[in-house]
Amino acid sequence: MDALMGDVLIVGRPAEEEGDTQAVPDELIDLFFHTETYRVQVTTIEDTNRWSGSLRRFNDVGEAYNHGQVLASKWALVNDVRVIPA
């Protein structure tokens, strides 16, 4: 599933006290711009500290994230979803 994406602006979280925007973390830049394949991991409500996933790989970060969201909507035990480099 190839999707066209337009221009985006990625900013870091605002500083807690001043509210100024911080730099984007290097790991996020690497994930979006320097990763060729992706995997999806989830935590469950039974173990929120342990990330688990399959070996399925995706060529597009959006496709990987959508897969994780669909999985979460079908499996009630999913607590959180993340996309990581494969």
Side-chain angles (χ1 to χ4, degrees):
M1 169 172 144
D2 291 320
L4 295 176
M5 294 187 182
D7 296 336
V8 298
L9 174 66
I10 300 174
V11 297
R13 292 183 178 185
E16 290 192 23
E17 293 182 16
E18 305 87 28
D20 296 330
T21 301
Q22 300 180 50
V24 175
D26 289 338
E27 68 182 31
L28 188 60
I29 291 171
D30 287 342
L31 180 68
F32 285 134
F33 300 110
H34 304 292
T35 302
E36 293 184 20
T37 57
Y38 304 88
R39 288 183 33 222
V40 175
Q41 291 185 328
V42 300
T43 61
T44 64
I45 59 174
E46 296 170 341
D47 191 353
T48 59
N49 294 318
R50 187 172 137 231
W51 290 95
S52 302
S54 70
L55 296 178
R56 184 171 178 187
R57 287 172 169 57
F58 300 88
N59 294 325
D60 178 83
V61 68
E63 184 180 355
Y65 184 74
N66 286 337
H67 174 77
Q69 292 303 305
V70 168
L71 178 62
S73 72
K74 292 180 178 180
W75 187 24
L77 294 179
V78 171
N79 181 65
D80 203 0
V81 175
R82 73 178 179 185
V83 174
I84 63 168

